[in-house]
Amino acid sequence: MNYLEAKDKFIQTWGSLGTLWGINKAMAQIHALLLISPEPLSMEDIMEQLQISRGNTSMNLRQLIDWGIVYKTSIAGERKEFFSSEKDVNELAKQIARERSRREIQPTLKVLKEVSNIEDDGSAKTKEFIKQTKSLHELAETADSIMNRIVNQESNWLTKTFIKLLK
Amino acid sequence: MNYLEAKDKFIQTWGSLGTLWGINKAMAQIHALLLISPEPLSMEDIMEQLQISRGNTSMNLRQLIDWGIVYKTSIAGERKEFFSSEKDVNELAKQIARERSRREIQPTLKVLKEVSNIEDDGSAKTKEFIKQTKSLHELAETADSIMNRIVNQESNWLTKTFIKLLK
DNA sequence: ATAAACTTTCAAAAAATATTGAAAGTTTAA
DNA sequence: TTAAACTTTCAATATTTTTTGAAAGTTTAT
């Protein structure tokens, strides 16, 4: 496999993986492209390499910036804007974990807390409902705590965490 | 909030959350419904409660069974089949982690390994590509190891893991 | 102030995904 | 073996999500 084939395969894979994580294909592909590019890229560069429209590129770049994993970069003497991604994959993982907690886990916790607080009328179905939603709340809270704990650690956390677990 | 409102809200929330995790709405809703139901439900029950078609119910139940989080249950004297979900949320989380590793992480690891193995021709872009795809491979492998480690532990693992991390 | 260079917005179109429902298939009882 | 009870399949349809592209908006240089 040569560079171009490998690059293409990587962008494709990252793109379809994105879909499974609530990130659309173009967004994931733009991210993949920036991640392996040694220099910042312009909107034109991205449009051309991925064969996507200007509007699509603009909107998805904005989302990536919102997620905190892509930055606008100025290049001296150039009028247009350039973009580059967070290159440290640990930092990247942290940022993604943070955003997923904020966007998914927190709102879910809120609902679980709310619905598990209904009055227990003693019926089997109410009892089961309260029991299960409380368990889920607990699970989600623990999972979120672990994630936050990991996220707020110094770099190289993942390896360290893993070593801890092995002990 | 009364039982019916709470139940509805829970099913709705679980349903839209599913979408974010690569599980479709109906599948997540069926799961939610079974999770809080004290007795197994028939296909008719599910169709009626969620207002979805027979075909949809059948296909999504099959997927849930494939995921290992819903079981067919026979009820004595009844001809039709009944379905119930895994009620232990820890077991549920394990099963989901297992499936996600198998379906997403493993295939990704394979591609990352493959593409990071291209020959280094010394150019900046090839060097960056190899460096980044190798880092991602390492990250994904570590994350997967942690998940597997957790998954293969005895029940109550999440809490225990959390306590370990706090130390 | 003007215009060129560039970016963003958003309604319409396209593509992807989920759902339906009826026909085909299967199982069970008699 | 037949038929009733039930489940599965899948082509057609509906819904949701993504993408486009051109108009509107912004910034910069002169």
Side-chain angles (χ1 to χ4, degrees), chain A residues 41 55 64-65 97 126 129 133-134 138 142 153 159 164:
Chain A
L41 300 178
L64 285 165
I65 292 169
T126 303
F129 182 85
T133 51
K134 278 208 166 124
E138 211 175 296
T142 311
Q153 256 160 10
T159 312
K164 264 191 194 166

Side-chain angles (χ1 to χ4, degrees), chain A residues 43-58:
Chain A
M43 232 161 84
E44 297 288 342
D45 295 334
I46 296 168
M47 286 167 63
E48 197 198 337
Q49 291 212 44
L50 300 179
Q51 290 290 310
I52 58 179
S53 72
R54 189 174 297 283
N56 200 0
T57 308
S58 171

